[in-house]
Amino acid sequence: ARALLASEARPFPVVTAEEVADTPSNAAFTRTFAFLRALGIAAAVLAVAGAILYLQARQRARAVSFQLAQRMGLSRANHVAALAIELAVILALALALGTAVALAAGRLIMTSIEPIASIAPLPLFNVPGVILALTTGALLIAPLGAAAVTSKVAERANLARLIRTDE
């Protein structure tokens, strides 16, 4: 064993972290995943914009129905709860579908993405629990805020003007 350690010959290739980081394929993987992260952030921004446009498109009808329902005894708290549930269900379905597709795609391509196949171990499939938890937390908070704002706008709307206005 001492003779082997003293000699220059190495029976197994020794690769340092710096050598791996300097390989062009590793740089390409790093850039690809940075691009995918930016694409994920853009998709989240697009989902928020879509929710805002959804609320805006139904605002007139929602304001009229809220004003009439309020005169029949609907409280603002019940209205906010109904709006929050509606938005939460839509966003929860989108999150579940997106998570399922992302996990399935990640599982399928995990074994084919190996920058240096000669180095063990194989890549591990890690579910990003922190990101999923933060996204789920935002999913719980966003509908409440959006529902409160939408309800406030509907409450301040002029019912007579809304009914007279043709779209």
Side-chain angles (χ1 to χ4, degrees), residues 88-101:
V89 166
I90 291 170
L91 293 176
L93 288 174
L95 177 67
L97 181 64
T99 300
V101 168

Side-chain angles (χ1 to χ4, degrees), residues 144-161:
L144 291 174
V149 169
T150 303
S151 180
K152 193 65 153 173
V153 170
E155 191 175 10
R156 290 183 178 175
N158 184 341
L159 181 60
R161 185 177 296 164

Side-chain angles (χ1 to χ4, degrees), residues 130-152:
V130 173
I131 294 174
L132 282 175
L134 290 173
T135 305
T136 304
L139 180 107
L140 295 174
I141 294 169
L144 291 174
V149 169
T150 303
S151 180
K152 193 65 153 173

